[in-house]
Amino acid sequence: SQTIHQWPATLVQPVGSPLSLECTVEGTSNPNLYWYRQAAGRGLQLLFYSVGIGQISSEVPQNLSASRPQDRQFILSSKKLLLSDSGFYLCAWSQARPPYEQYFGPGTRLTVT
Amino acid sequence: SQQGEEDPQALSIQEGENATMNCSYKTSINNLQWYRQNSGRGLVHLILIRSNEREKHSGRLRVTLDTSKKSSSLLITASRAADTASYFCATNFGNEKLTFGTGTRLTIIP
């Protein structure tokens, strides 16, 4: 069966510090991968998605970036965090064909202080 | 925005009652999906309905889709305390992405 991992689970970082969140998927190959951010009590905002190694689509211009160095690894990064980067970050995967049901990791709670 | 919107934003019912939440969207879809999120956790896929389907069932869940009104409803029958969560609809327009709504926060009162 497929499993998706995210780490760390929680993170407290000062403004201006770098960020690296990692997501890995097991049990499937060539998945689509997604990064979302969820503000408290709100819906999901799609940040990036990837349909293959090195292929990244950005949905929201901001100081975040994403990379996919391996088929089942997706990394969310920032060189300098802003207060507004605080939130709940979720990674998800789907099969690379319709209907694109998504399966989510446990999330990372990021607090920028 | 193509974002779906759930209604109501929050719903509290007694255990054993049925819970109904609605989702509206703005443009033609390929499919619509419902997800559940327990507090502080990731989302869990519940059920998917395709644009050519009108109703689907899965256990205590019943989903309907009215493409002429661009709306869907999720019915949870015989609610349990464990159903307390936020519920999101997500629309797929035929590409790799889903557009999530703002969610309905459901509280089941024991």
Side-chain angles (χ1 to χ4, degrees):
Chain A
S1 64
Q2 300 86 6
T3 309
I4 179 168
H5 303 279
Q6 271 188 260
W7 64 90
T10 60
L11 193 58
V12 180
Q13 293 283 93
V15 169
S17 64
L19 172 74
S20 181
L21 302 181
E22 189 164 343
C23 171
T24 60
V25 181
E26 296 177 355
T28 188
S29 60
N30 195 33
N32 289 344
L33 297 173
Y34 308 85
W35 277 113
Y36 292 90
R37 179 169 60 203
Q38 185 178 32
R42 304 291 297 277
L44 275 69
Q45 179 187 35
L46 179 63
L47 302 175
F48 302 93
Y49 71 97
S50 172
V51 299
I53 296 174
Q55 301 180 61
I56 308 296
S57 296
S58 174
E59 291 295 298
V60 182
Q62 57 206 334
N63 69 322
L64 298 173
S65 62
S67 62
R68 185 172 177 172
Q70 300 180 45
D71 181 45
R72 290 168 288 177
Q73 183 185 29
F74 206 22
I75 298 172
L76 183 69
S77 304
S78 173
K79 293 182 179 178
K80 289 185 177 182
L81 284 169
L82 307 173
L83 285 174
S84 58
D85 291 325
S86 293
F88 191 49
Y89 288 81
L90 289 158
C91 181
W93 73 273
S94 76
Q95 296 286 358
R97 60 182 184 275
Y100 303 114
E101 296 176 14
Q102 292 187 10
Y103 302 92
F104 285 79
T108 295
R109 175 78 57 193
L110 172 65
T111 303
V112 182
T113 60
Chain B
S1 169
Q2 296 175 327
Q3 186 178 39
E5 294 187 2
E6 283 90 342
D7 169 58
Q9 290 186 346
L11 177 63
S12 292
I13 60 173
Q14 295 288 333
E15 191 168 17
E17 295 181 338
N18 296 340
T20 299
M21 52 205 87
N22 305 294
C23 171
S24 60
Y25 56 92
K26 296 182 179 178
T27 60
S28 297
I29 60 171
N30 181 275
N31 65 72
L32 186 145
Q33 306 176 27
W34 285 90
Y35 290 79
R36 183 186 72 230
Q37 184 181 32
N38 291 94
S39 180
R41 311 292 292 272
L43 280 71
V44 174
H45 183 272
L46 294 177
I47 193 167
L48 176 150
I49 187 164
R50 291 179 166 80
S51 60
N52 62 351
E53 298 175 313
R54 292 297 167 259
E55 185 172 315
K56 281 191 81 170
H57 297 257
S58 177
R60 295 184 295 113
L61 304 181
R62 172 178 170 252
V63 170
T64 60
L65 179 65
D66 187 333
T67 53
S68 65
K69 295 182 179 179
K70 293 185 171 59
S71 67
S72 174
S73 67
L74 172 67
L75 168 67
I76 303 174
T77 61
S79 63
R80 306 168 181 170
D83 295 328
T84 293
S86 292
Y87 291 81
F88 295 89
C89 69
T91 45
N92 176 258
F93 302 100
N95 57 21
E96 302 89 355
K97 299 182 290 184
L98 297 180
T99 301
F100 284 83
T102 51
T104 292
R105 190 165 59 252
L106 175 65
T107 302
I108 307 300
I109 303 167

